[in-house]
Amino acid sequence: MTHSDPCTRRKFLSASASCGAYLAAIAPILGPAALHRWRAATGGRVVAQTPFARIEEVGANMYAIISTPLEGDFTTTCNGGIVGGSSGTLVYEAFNTPEGAKWVAEQARDLTGRWPDHVVVSHFHGDHSAGPAGFVQDNGPAPALRATRATQELVQESRGDAILAPWADVTVLAEDGPLNVDLGDRTVAVVPRRGHTPSDVTIEVDGGEGPVWCGDLVWNAMFPNYTHAVPSQLSRTVRALQAMPASTYVPGHGPLTDDAAMTGYVALIDLVEEAARAAWRRGMGPDEAAEAFEVPASLGEWYVFNPSFYQRAMQAWMSELDTG
């Protein structure tokens, strides 16, 4: 019983056009209720708002960037964050464009009093990694760009020349344990993880009691992208995040996630696993399994623009099951 589609390096990279294309396609077909859910602030005070993103205060000198691309503006596309301290400011994600990154850097300066000193990139997909040139100041040092070696290499192999220059000089994050970034009166833990891609990174403050920025390991109100996922690792990682004492999670896409929303997300990925395993045992292929799959109303609305995202989820699970 073989359902796997062997993934060569070239195929792996060519398939990674990013979640931005996913969001671009879904925007025209979402109704007013769906758009309202994405537009509405779900956390703290909104301190900045544009057509493409808003910034919500999620703690003292801490901010969640919630991208709102569903009406066609993909300047930032992914979510991210700003964490300020007495001697440093850290930004999470490099966003979809240099213009988006520059806007975030300017907001960081206005909100924390400092241009970013550190930029942490969660993974290699273009909507999270294409904009670091926007963090370079006309007169002043560029922030330290931090990413794992795997993320750096995958970006360098899959992006155009205009994006690559900042990626030649990366502060490489170890993948065997967290890095504590000292911001003066606050330390930010940069934690290597896996699941959405072979190399993901989260950031956590206050020993995990403060907000957790999850990258695309966590989605809210949007069916997740499994294109490069290792589903069993994703499940374990999401459960580890859920077990933390945090009450606020910043997902890679969608509104802020609280305990209830995290529980719903875990139920969703469990449902995907259950459906994929059942289909695999019956000898079904990923296309057939995807056609039979649906999210029950009890889990709420999880927007998906194209059944291919169900197919990719089934393919990811079946490929893993085929290899034991």
Side-chain angles (χ1 to χ4, degrees), residues 89-177:
T89 292
L90 181 148
V91 164
Y92 183 64
E93 302 295 21
F95 304 97
N96 192 47
T97 67
E99 293 77 16
K102 182 178 180 181
W103 178 79
V104 170
E106 291 169 345
Q107 295 300 315
R109 179 190 58 203
D110 292 347
L111 292 167
T112 71
R114 301 178 63 93
W115 193 265
D117 302 281
H118 313 271
V119 175
V120 174
V121 179
S122 67
H123 65 287
F124 82 99
H125 287 164
D127 52 327
H128 299 254
S129 66
F135 290 112
V136 178
Q137 303 179 74
D138 293 334
N139 297 296
L145 182 63
R146 299 178 181 270
T148 65
R149 178 70 70 194
T151 292
Q152 181 190 30
E153 290 177 351
L154 287 165
V155 169
Q156 290 176 321
E157 293 180 35
S158 61
R159 301 287 167 243
D161 291 342
I163 292 171
L164 292 182
W167 282 95
D169 185 18
V170 170
T171 302
V172 175
L173 298 169
E175 297 189 47
D176 59 354

Side-chain angles (χ1 to χ4, degrees), residues 269-293:
I269 62 176
D270 284 351
L271 181 71
V272 170
E273 177 180 359
E274 179 184 344
R277 287 183 179 275
W280 182 79
R281 287 193 296 267
R282 293 196 294 269
M284 297 168 64
D287 292 342
E288 187 181 2
E291 188 173 344
F293 179 77

Side-chain angles (χ1 to χ4, degrees), residues 237-304:
T237 298
V238 171
R239 282 172 162 76
L241 293 170
Q242 185 186 30
M244 298 176 68
S247 59
T248 300
Y249 299 86
V250 183
H253 298 277
L256 287 178
T257 302
D258 58 14
D259 291 336
M262 184 65 92
T263 297
Y265 178 62
V266 171
L268 176 70
I269 62 176
D270 284 351
L271 181 71
V272 170
E273 177 180 359
E274 179 184 344
R277 287 183 179 275
W280 182 79
R281 287 193 296 267
R282 293 196 294 269
M284 297 168 64
D287 292 342
E288 187 181 2
E291 188 173 344
F293 179 77
E294 61 180 354
V295 179
S298 60
L299 290 184
E301 294 183 275
W302 292 84
Y303 309 118
V304 57

